[in-house]
Amino acid sequence: MVKYAKEQKMANAIRFLAADMIEKAKSGHPGAPLGMADVATVLFSKFIKINPQNPKWFDRDRFVLSAGHASSLLYSLFYLLGYKDAKLSDLKNFRQLGSKAAGHPEYNHFLGTDITTGPLGEGISSAVGMALAERIISTRYGNDVCNHKTYCLMGDGCLMEGVAGEAIALAGHLKLNKLIAIWDDNQITIDGKTDIASSTDIKAWFKAHKWDVISVDGHDFAQIEEALAQAQKAVKPTLIAAKTTIGYGAPTKCNSPKCHGSPLGEEELDAMRMNLGWNYKPFEVPQVVLDDWLKAGSRCTGLAKDWETRAKAKGKEFLDVISGKLPKNWNKALQELKEKALKERPEVATRKASNMCLEAIVPNLPQLIGGSADLSSPNMTKVASSKTITAQDYNGNYIEYGIREHAMGAIMNGLALHGGFIPYGGTFLVFSDFMRPAIRLAALMGLKEVYVLTHDSIGVGEDGPTHQPIEHLASLRAMPNLLTFRPCDVIEAAEAWELALNQDSRPSALALSRQNLPTLREDIKENLTSKGAYIIKGSPAKRQATLIATGSEVSLAVAAHDELKSQGIETVVVSMPCQELFDEQPFDYQDKVLGNKPRIAIEAAAKFGWEKYVGLKGDIIGMDGFGASAPAKDLYPHFGITKEEVIDAVKVALKK
Amino acid sequence: MVKYAKEQKMANAIRFLAADMIEKAKSGHPGAPLGMADVATVLFSKFIKINPQNPKWFDRDRFVLSAGHASSLLYSLFYLLGYKDAKLSDLKNFRQLGSKAAGHPEYNHFLGTDITTGPLGEGISSAVGMALAERIISTRYGNDVCNHKTYCLMGDGCLMEGVAGEAIALAGHLKLNKLIAIWDDNQITIDGKTDIASSTDIKAWFKAHKWDVISVDGHDFAQIEEALAQAQKAVKPTLIAAKTTIGYGAPTKCNSPKCHGSPLGEEELDAMRMNLGWNYKPFEVPQVVLDDWLKAGSRCTGLAKDWETRAKAKGKEFLDVISGKLPKNWNKALQELKEKALKERPEVATRKASNMCLEAIVPNLPQLIGGSADLSSPNMTKVASSKTITAQDYNGNYIEYGIREHAMGAIMNGLALHGGFIPYGGTFLVFSDFMRPAIRLAALMGLKEVYVLTHDSIGVGEDGPTHQPIEHLASLRAMPNLLTFRPCDVIEAAEAWELALNQDSRPSALALSRQNLPTLREDIKENLTSKGAYIIKGSPAKRQATLIATGSEVSLAVAAHDELKSQGIETVVVSMPCQELFDEQPFDYQDKVLGNKPRIAIEAAAKFGWEKYVGLKGDIIGMDGFGASAPAKDLYPHFGITKEEVIDAVKVALKK
């Protein structure tokens, strides 16, 4: 008998399930699953540490299908390995409404799916975050409760995306030796052969980033096994470059873009059955192959059980951390900060306010893991109790991401997905664009993360329009399932941090000023930011107009309110730190806050979207174009965002 | 006399002007200008081909200051080289309101500024586009009228950004041998030494991307000169790795992040004068040094003059192309396409409609240069007359960007900035996020480009939420100076292409459907898309409600209109292919189109922003969250975007 005859059949089981799923759905990507079936078989039957009985086992190896279009490969594996929530009926329902077997792997659709993938490059980058998470938890709590690999399967597309380059560089720098990435080197992309767009020596490129590189024939089981065995002992992250044939087994469509993104078609699929000697009907897997796969799936049952015992013995902090439970009184110091601010009324930038919050939170929240894309000092994300993680010492709570916003976002996703961490990461608000695809994935997966986005308007000043966010607040607010906070003072900043860290399933973005702002809040009995908007100044009964403002413009609105009052005109100032939370309030609360008098919104940002609150008859004082380079104090009048403009707008509105 | 004594002084002139500018502004980044002054001196006094008398000379060498924070270096050079629009008074006004000497280099503030830079990584990536532009024009029209280098000066930050990696890979692949990038290897970033976040062997990394690499001491004039001389003859793009000291000359602050982003301070600056033997007052440059610089600036006056003669001889097409003038009748075939569509009423996806437009335009518009980020076939960006550019043959009009959306955006910027090209580039609308920072720079610089963004809604279907744009239309519309088109049929698609290519100073994004749509327009006398919105169906006089829709939802609105009419309810359907253009119409036109009856907006996208047109009392039929994986025909009812929902909404509105 041929040495790997069993594995050959196991791999073909994946191939035909995947191809059958795609054929039935009349939609999908057969090329990669057929090409990677052999590698996946060796990995999942001999190496990977998982427990299909408990897909969420904390110390499992993580598996990231960075080439997310190969979803049918993953779902076939789940079924074959005996995951209880992956039935043949699910596979038959591939890509249909309500099916767990979505077109691309969606986090938690199947419990075994460790991450949502599809946008290329994101998966490998988040895998770096997972591998880093493992090293930190392991260092903190011990090898006996956290000691696993992160495997990632990626295609050529993943490696062309810039975000992957950023993350791969950081993985090499941090010597994440338990990260094993497998490159499906099939030399085909949608538009043709990879050589139409790339001449990069991928192996040399990884080596330059300080990775180990092993080359194998991706259809030679012995080579694959040997490479994976070698990678287990690596002291650097490992790339296994697996030369494969896309659509392996499909007689006429293999090795061509034709099999990348369309079903093979009945005829080709029949021919593939002949070609690979697979005499079974669609979705049929012979019992002996099923048994071999089930056996593979139960390889680690004992390991998982032993781990449970050790984990329990490890104690409450560890169990709380890995289950995402916040320590009791985690926000006690934050409450004290609010009390102090109420009394002392500091005039600080909200980036500094956020820093004061972090000083209060970080020491009390071990799962909080910070960082910045080389802007720690201006973002003020680093605090006294922050300790930078290095390749020599993983026992820290702060990551120097380098000038790599996008990888920061994706790595934050990996840290959050791994479990044990609530990541926060800083950059300038304007550069949130660089990490937007990663923010979107966090929102889509419902991950608890905090983006610390400082320098949030033309208040940036001299650095000019490339550094002044305009449309960014609108574009973050437009994104589903993301909370965008723009606090006006220390107290709102503390409330925003409290809310962000109390979310269950959505990320938060904090937009924070570079410039100093006065303390405005008069009471802290209730977290008013939790309502999204509230009256911060003025009497609703007497109001003739409503001023709605956020962040740095709330103090401007208050100044206008005071001057108008001295002129006998009564207004109400609404601070609106979070539109999304305000939209979730009952209508009568919304009406009570906004009133039925003329409304004027003030925000040093694009006006886009503010009609939602001021209506067609309201006024918006904001930015119509890009910013400019000048001291901030000159820019506000230049762009007409001043107390005087607000006063004029109120008077015009009252005359209407 | 020491061999490079003259250059030493010329470099110090840059150093002190830069430091003085920053000191006076009390704001800026002295580290890089001080560190790069020696390299800049050799480059600008001995190699670069420019003509300060005509800063826009087409065949000049392009210079990209990718490390845009070193703007004071660039402005000092402009002044010293004798650019007429760069006076000492401009330098003294650094970073002040209205000054050409903005905080970061802004395209066309000084005429010598070839590109806006500041967001790291973008500059080097656009430099790749410029170098590519040179190769194409040179191949098409001859070496005698286009034969120049593209120089780029970049810091560590530029190289950490993913976009740079993408572009560098493509530059190596396309063998852009006239691209010379100089790396300011000072080993310092804002957060500290580069080794806190990077262990990458940058030189090996470039070599893996098929670049030549030369290492020099960035303060050794002879080494710099030799390297630049060698790079002139390269057959690959060249990296000159220049080991430098950040803040060179500042006695206590050099070689530290302290001099990166803050003025040196008077004391340090005085000490630097002592240290470098510079016995001159702030902004004072000794006449002999000024003369040396002016001489350097006039090195190529003769070359430039000769070029003018040759260029004129080259003929009209060349002169038109480089001056951005479109050929007469460039849109004749487009007009014919509209006529044909009006008659034949094809039912095609708007991505196909866009493809039909390109078939009509590309052969008639030599400056049009297309491409796609590995989605040529689904984006339908390639047409019969498209010819792919390769390293072996630059005589083409289509670029295979690979799976590198961000680099595509930045390279498109470089192509547009170089002159001679109107770039268009395709990807899925959802992946416009990956290239958003580059789109923003195009909008900020006012470049004529077209983003072909297909698969523009849940109409994507089975690929699921990672591939279905939701918030993207809103976030593109929120961006200043960008036109976002969402045509509903072939005729609107043709109108949108016409408008996009007739813009002078803004880019356009076309959002295009994957799914087929009927032809709706009944006349083509006028480009109605130019109004942004117009009544496509129904009688304004009789209307009881207004339905506003875009793209694929216009036909849905028309279907609802027809059914309501049969029930005796009169509505008007407004097609709104471009909100930005509608916002530019006179108020009375806007009022006439939208009417004063209840308004309902319908768009299979985030509702955010639609209140601008429907007001607080209107209704919006759109998406509240992310999409899902299923056939498109199942997703529309699933998310309540149907004819029936529109009909219900109208009836509810009429009852109010």
Side-chain angles (χ1 to χ4, degrees):
Chain A
M1 189 179 154
V2 191
K3 195 177 168 205
Y4 285 97
K6 183 176 84 173
E7 285 75 15
Q8 185 64 66
K9 281 190 182 138
M10 291 169 81
N12 283 341
I14 296 176
R15 285 195 174 94
F16 285 98
L17 280 177
D20 289 339
M21 287 165 67
I22 293 164
E23 203 56 33
K24 183 161 188 302
K26 294 194 178 54
S27 171
H29 300 75
L34 301 188
M36 290 307 288
D38 297 331
V39 168
T41 296
V42 178
L43 174 61
F44 278 83
S45 70
K46 294 176 187 283
F47 289 92
I48 211 164
K49 184 172 81 170
I50 46 170
N51 181 13
Q53 304 303 311
N54 176 13
K56 296 290 182 189
W57 173 28
F58 184 76
D59 200 28
R60 73 189 181 281
D61 289 344
R62 302 302 190 273
F63 179 71
V64 176
L65 185 63
S66 195
H69 50 278
S71 57
S72 58
L73 170 81
L74 191 64
Y75 306 154
S76 300
L77 281 165
F78 289 153
Y79 164 66
L80 292 167
L81 287 160
Y83 282 77
K84 288 276 172 295
D85 66 341
K87 300 192 179 57
L88 206 53
S89 57
D90 293 312
L91 272 56
K92 289 181 178 169
N93 215 11
F94 182 52
R95 295 186 154 228
Q96 304 309 303
L97 191 62
S99 169
K100 282 178 282 191
H104 288 79
E106 302 291 338
Y107 178 50
N108 274 346
H109 274 214
F110 288 111
L111 291 173
T113 302
D114 285 335
I115 178 172
T116 293
T117 48
L120 297 180
E122 296 290 337
I124 171 65
S125 306
S126 292
V128 172
M130 293 178 183
L132 178 56
E134 191 274 347
R135 288 290 70 211
I136 303 168
I137 297 272
S138 181
T139 308
R140 280 192 199 168
Y141 298 103
N143 225 12
D144 55 335
V145 287
C146 189
N147 181 13
H148 68 81
K149 302 281 188 292
T150 299
Y151 292 99
C152 177
L153 216 154
M154 57 202 186
D156 291 294
C158 289
L159 297 180
M160 289 193 203
E161 289 286 0
V163 61
E166 296 179 5
I168 285 163
L170 202 56
H173 174 68
L174 291 173
K175 295 200 172 73
L176 301 178
N177 66 321
K178 296 165 95 176
L179 174 61
I180 301 169
I182 304 166
W183 168 34
D184 179 17
D185 178 15
N186 62 30
Q187 299 175 287
I188 297 287
T189 66
I190 292 177
D191 275 358
K193 301 282 279 178
T194 48
D195 64 9
I196 65 168
S198 183
S199 301
T200 299
D201 180 339
I202 295 286
K203 295 171 197 171
W205 182 72
F206 269 90
K207 284 177 192 160
H209 285 315
K210 306 291 158 75
W211 283 53
D212 279 339
V213 174
I214 309 172
S215 300
V216 300
D217 172 343
H219 302 298
D220 181 317
F221 291 97
Q223 283 190 28
I224 300 165
E225 181 163 358
E226 201 180 319
L228 283 165
Q230 189 183 330
Q232 307 297 310
K233 302 166 290 187
V235 294
K236 301 177 186 177
T238 302
L239 172 75
I240 298 178
K243 185 77 89 180
T244 60
T245 302
I246 192 172
Y248 183 95
T252 75
K253 292 189 173 174
C254 74
N255 204 23
S256 137
K258 275 183 244 166
C259 70
H260 167 80
S262 307
L264 295 175
E266 250 178 70
E267 197 178 332
E268 181 82 1
L269 196 43
D270 284 348
M272 185 169 112
R273 284 191 151 79
M274 290 282 286
N275 191 28
L276 297 179
W278 191 258
N279 302 315
Y280 310 102
K281 280 177 293 190
F283 294 103
E284 183 187 346
V285 180
Q287 194 59 45
V288 55
V289 178
L290 267 182
D291 288 347
D292 285 338
W293 267 117
L294 279 173
K295 218 166 102 189
S298 60
R299 272 169 42 244
C300 306
T301 319
L303 276 179
K305 216 174 143 185
D306 295 348
W307 180 88
E308 295 288 347
T309 316
R310 292 195 303 276
K312 268 177 205 143
K314 197 59 70 172
K316 185 171 156 49
E317 180 183 311
F318 173 71
L319 294 171
D320 281 357
V321 159
I322 67 165
S323 65
K325 212 168 137 186
L326 303 187
K328 221 176 136 180
N329 290 330
W330 71 270
N331 57 350
K332 192 162 165 272
L334 199 61
Q335 189 58 32
E336 289 162 6
L337 171 66
K338 285 192 237 172
E339 285 161 18
K340 196 159 172 265
L342 191 67
K343 228 182 299 169
E344 299 179 1
R345 314 198 71 69
E347 183 153 339
V348 295
T350 46
R351 63 175 168 149
K352 175 66 185 166
S354 165
N355 172 265
M356 291 155 72
C357 296
L358 285 170
E359 289 285 6
I361 303 166
V362 174
N364 304 307
L365 205 49
Q367 50 266 76
L368 209 56
I369 182 142
S372 167
D374 197 52
L375 293 169
S376 293
S377 151
N379 293 153
M380 300 190 169
T381 35
K382 211 168 185 172
V383 294
S385 49
S386 298
K387 189 181 160 214
T388 298
I389 286 153
T390 67
Q392 290 69 46
D393 183 5
Y394 296 111
N395 189 16
N397 59 0
Y398 196 85
I399 301 166
E400 291 282 0
Y401 288 102
I403 299 149
R404 307 181 181 106
E405 300 80 11
H406 199 167
M408 177 171 74
I411 290 171
M412 286 169 69
N413 290 348
L415 289 161
L417 285 163
H418 179 274
F421 292 106
I422 307 170
Y424 72 90
T427 186
F428 290 157
L429 175 55
V430 78
F431 299 140
S432 63
D433 275 353
F434 279 79
M435 63 193 291
R436 203 169 157 83
I439 297 176
R440 184 173 210 258
L441 282 167
L444 179 57
M445 289 188 274
L447 303 179
K448 187 197 291 196
E449 301 177 16
V450 187
Y451 307 106
V452 180
L453 305 172
T454 69
H455 297 59
D456 72 348
S457 74
I458 50 169
V460 164
E462 290 88 343
D463 274 343
T466 54
H467 285 56
Q468 292 162 0
I470 300 292
E471 70 280 21
H472 301 75
L473 287 168
S475 54
L476 290 171
R477 286 170 183 150
M479 192 182 286
N481 204 40
L482 170 73
L483 295 181
T484 305
F485 293 97
R486 191 168 188 246
C488 73
D489 67 3
V490 177
I491 292 168
E492 277 194 2
E495 290 177 339
W497 265 108
E498 205 162 29
L499 289 161
L501 295 175
N502 271 326
Q503 293 305 309
D504 273 335
S505 54
R506 51 185 171 182
S508 299
L510 308 185
L512 303 165
S513 77
R514 179 191 183 212
Q515 71 272 35
N516 284 350
L517 302 172
T519 296
L520 294 174
R521 272 282 285 282
E522 303 283 352
D523 72 283
I524 56 168
K525 285 191 295 290
E526 198 184 350
N527 183 328
L528 291 171
T529 300
S530 72
K531 307 263 187 201
Y534 61 94
I535 294 173
I536 196 168
K537 188 97 188 188
S539 154
K542 291 191 262 178
R543 81 171 112 187
Q544 297 168 266
T546 303
L547 309 176
I548 313 167
T550 76
S552 45
E553 283 68 69
V554 179
S555 47
L556 195 152
V558 167
H561 162 277
D562 291 349
E563 176 138 348
L564 283 163
K565 195 179 168 75
S566 76
Q567 299 178 18
I569 298 171
E570 291 284 349
T571 59
V572 140
V573 178
V574 172
S575 178
M576 191 178 270
C578 184
Q579 292 188 354
E580 296 87 346
L581 290 177
F582 184 66
D583 292 348
E584 291 173 5
Q585 301 306 309
F587 286 128
D588 62 338
Y589 177 80
Q590 295 182 1
D591 286 345
K592 225 169 61 186
V593 170
L594 297 179
N596 56 6
K597 301 293 181 197
R599 300 173 186 170
I600 294 154
I602 309 128
E603 186 171 64
K607 296 173 179 175
F608 192 88
W610 272 107
E611 288 85 358
K612 183 173 193 170
Y613 304 105
V614 303
L616 297 177
K617 290 175 188 162
D619 200 354
I620 305 164
I621 293 174
M623 297 288 293
D624 287 311
F626 290 105
S629 169
K633 68 170 174 42
D634 298 336
L635 288 176
Y636 273 87
H638 178 69
F639 290 111
I641 302 173
T642 60
K643 183 179 74 170
E644 291 70 29
E645 291 282 342
V646 178
I647 291 168
D648 283 354
V650 170
K651 290 182 179 171
V652 168
L654 292 185
K655 270 188 209 145
K656 269 184 195 164
Chain B
M1 191 179 154
V2 190
K3 194 175 170 206
Y4 286 97
K6 182 177 85 174
E7 285 75 14
Q8 184 65 66
K9 283 191 180 134
M10 291 168 81
N12 283 342
I14 296 176
R15 285 196 175 93
F16 285 98
L17 281 177
D20 289 340
M21 287 165 67
I22 294 163
E23 203 57 31
K24 183 160 190 301
K26 294 191 178 56
S27 172
H29 301 75
L34 301 187
M36 289 307 288
D38 298 331
V39 168
T41 297
V42 179
L43 175 60
F44 277 84
S45 70
K46 292 176 189 281
F47 290 91
I48 212 163
K49 183 173 82 171
I50 46 170
N51 181 13
Q53 305 303 311
N54 176 13
K56 297 291 183 189
W57 173 28
F58 184 76
D59 200 30
R60 73 191 180 280
D61 287 344
R62 302 302 189 274
F63 179 71
V64 176
L65 185 64
S66 194
H69 51 277
S71 57
S72 58
L73 171 80
L74 191 64
Y75 307 153
S76 301
L77 281 166
F78 289 153
Y79 165 66
L80 292 166
L81 288 161
Y83 282 78
K84 289 275 171 292
D85 66 341
K87 301 194 177 53
L88 205 52
S89 57
D90 293 312
L91 272 55
K92 289 180 178 169
N93 216 10
F94 183 50
R95 293 187 155 229
Q96 304 309 303
L97 191 60
S99 169
K100 281 176 283 190
H104 287 80
E106 303 290 338
Y107 178 51
N108 274 345
H109 275 216
F110 288 110
L111 291 174
T113 301
D114 284 333
I115 176 173
T116 294
T117 49
L120 299 179
E122 296 290 338
I124 171 64
S125 306
S126 293
V128 172
M130 293 177 183
L132 178 56
E134 192 273 346
R135 287 290 71 211
I136 303 168
I137 298 273
S138 181
T139 307
R140 280 193 200 168
Y141 297 102
N143 224 12
D144 55 334
V145 287
C146 188
N147 181 14
H148 68 80
K149 302 282 188 291
T150 299
Y151 292 98
C152 176
L153 216 155
M154 58 200 184
D156 291 294
C158 290
L159 297 181
M160 289 193 203
E161 289 287 359
V163 61
E166 296 178 6
I168 286 163
L170 202 56
H173 173 68
L174 291 172
K175 293 200 173 74
L176 301 177
N177 66 321
K178 295 166 95 175
L179 173 62
I180 300 170
I182 303 167
W183 168 35
D184 180 16
D185 178 15
N186 63 29
Q187 300 175 288
I188 297 286
T189 66
I190 292 177
D191 276 358
K193 303 281 279 179
T194 48
D195 65 8
I196 65 170
S198 183
S199 301
T200 298
D201 179 340
I202 295 285
K203 295 171 198 170
W205 182 73
F206 269 90
K207 284 178 192 159
H209 286 314
K210 306 291 158 74
W211 283 52
D212 278 340
V213 175
I214 309 172
S215 300
V216 300
D217 173 343
H219 302 298
D220 181 318
F221 292 95
Q223 282 190 28
I224 300 165
E225 182 164 357
E226 200 180 320
L228 282 165
Q230 190 183 329
Q232 307 298 311
K233 301 166 291 185
V235 294
K236 300 178 187 178
T238 303
L239 172 76
I240 298 179
K243 185 77 88 180
T244 61
T245 302
I246 191 172
Y248 182 94
T252 75
K253 291 189 174 175
C254 74
N255 204 21
S256 133
K258 275 183 246 167
C259 70
H260 167 81
S262 307
L264 294 174
E266 250 178 69
E267 197 177 331
E268 181 82 2
L269 196 43
D270 285 349
M272 185 168 113
R273 285 191 151 78
M274 292 281 287
N275 191 29
L276 297 180
W278 190 258
N279 303 315
Y280 311 101
K281 280 177 291 188
F283 295 102
E284 183 187 345
V285 180
Q287 194 59 45
V288 56
V289 179
L290 267 182
D291 289 344
D292 286 337
W293 267 118
L294 278 173
K295 218 166 100 190
S298 60
R299 274 170 37 247
C300 306
T301 319
L303 275 180
K305 216 174 141 185
D306 296 347
W307 179 89
E308 295 287 347
T309 316
R310 290 196 304 276
K312 269 178 205 141
K314 196 60 67 173
K316 185 171 157 50
E317 180 183 311
F318 174 70
L319 295 171
D320 281 356
V321 160
I322 68 166
S323 67
K325 210 169 138 187
L326 303 188
K328 219 178 140 181
N329 289 330
W330 71 269
N331 55 351
K332 190 164 169 271
L334 200 59
Q335 189 58 31
E336 288 162 7
L337 171 65
K338 285 193 239 172
E339 284 160 19
K340 195 159 173 264
L342 191 67
K343 228 182 299 172
E344 298 180 1
R345 312 198 72 68
E347 182 152 340
V348 295
T350 46
R351 61 174 169 149
K352 175 64 186 167
S354 165
N355 171 266
M356 291 155 72
C357 296
L358 285 169
E359 290 284 7
I361 303 166
V362 174
N364 304 307
L365 205 49
Q367 49 265 76
L368 208 56
I369 182 144
S372 167
D374 197 51
L375 294 170
S376 293
S377 149
N379 292 154
M380 299 188 169
T381 35
K382 213 168 184 170
V383 294
S385 49
S386 298
K387 187 181 160 215
T388 298
I389 285 153
T390 67
Q392 289 70 45
D393 182 5
Y394 295 111
N395 188 18
N397 60 359
Y398 197 85
I399 302 166
E400 290 283 359
Y401 287 102
I403 299 148
R404 307 181 181 106
E405 299 81 9
H406 199 166
M408 177 171 73
I411 290 171
M412 285 168 69
N413 290 348
L415 289 161
L417 285 163
H418 179 275
F421 292 106
I422 308 168
Y424 72 90
T427 185
F428 290 158
L429 175 56
V430 79
F431 299 140
S432 64
D433 276 353
F434 279 79
M435 63 192 294
R436 202 169 157 82
I439 298 177
R440 185 172 208 261
L441 282 166
L444 179 57
M445 289 187 273
L447 304 179
K448 185 197 291 197
E449 301 178 16
V450 187
Y451 307 107
V452 180
L453 306 171
T454 69
H455 296 61
D456 73 349
S457 74
I458 50 169
V460 165
E462 290 90 342
D463 274 345
T466 53
H467 285 55
Q468 291 162 2
I470 300 294
E471 70 279 22
H472 301 75
L473 287 168
S475 54
L476 291 172
R477 287 170 184 151
M479 191 182 286
N481 204 41
L482 170 72
L483 296 181
T484 305
F485 292 96
R486 191 168 188 248
C488 74
D489 66 5
V490 176
I491 292 168
E492 278 194 3
E495 290 178 338
W497 265 108
E498 204 162 33
L499 289 161
L501 295 175
N502 271 326
Q503 292 305 309
D504 272 336
S505 55
R506 50 186 170 182
S508 300
L510 309 185
L512 303 165
S513 76
R514 179 191 182 213
Q515 71 272 33
N516 285 349
L517 302 172
T519 296
L520 294 174
R521 272 282 284 284
E522 305 283 352
D523 73 284
I524 54 168
K525 286 192 294 290
E526 198 185 350
N527 183 328
L528 292 171
T529 300
S530 73
K531 307 262 186 202
Y534 61 93
I535 294 174
I536 195 168
K537 187 97 189 188
S539 156
K542 292 190 261 177
R543 81 172 112 189
Q544 297 167 268
T546 303
L547 308 177
I548 312 166
T550 77
S552 45
E553 283 67 68
V554 179
S555 47
L556 196 152
V558 167
H561 162 278
D562 291 348
E563 176 138 348
L564 283 163
K565 196 179 168 76
S566 76
Q567 298 177 20
I569 299 171
E570 291 282 350
T571 60
V572 139
V573 178
V574 172
S575 179
M576 191 178 269
C578 183
Q579 291 188 353
E580 296 87 347
L581 290 178
F582 184 66
D583 293 348
E584 291 173 6
Q585 301 307 309
F587 285 128
D588 62 337
Y589 177 79
Q590 294 183 1
D591 286 346
K592 223 169 61 186
V593 170
L594 296 179
N596 57 5
K597 301 294 181 195
R599 299 173 188 171
I600 295 155
I602 309 130
E603 186 171 65
K607 297 173 180 176
F608 191 88
W610 272 107
E611 288 85 0
K612 183 173 194 171
Y613 304 105
V614 303
L616 297 176
K617 289 176 188 160
D619 199 355
I620 305 164
I621 293 175
M623 297 289 293
D624 287 310
F626 291 104
S629 168
K633 67 171 175 40
D634 298 337
L635 288 175
Y636 273 87
H638 178 69
F639 289 111
I641 302 173
T642 59
K643 182 179 77 171
E644 291 70 29
E645 291 283 341
V646 178
I647 290 168
D648 284 355
V650 170
K651 290 181 179 173
V652 168
L654 293 185
K655 271 188 207 142
K656 268 186 195 164

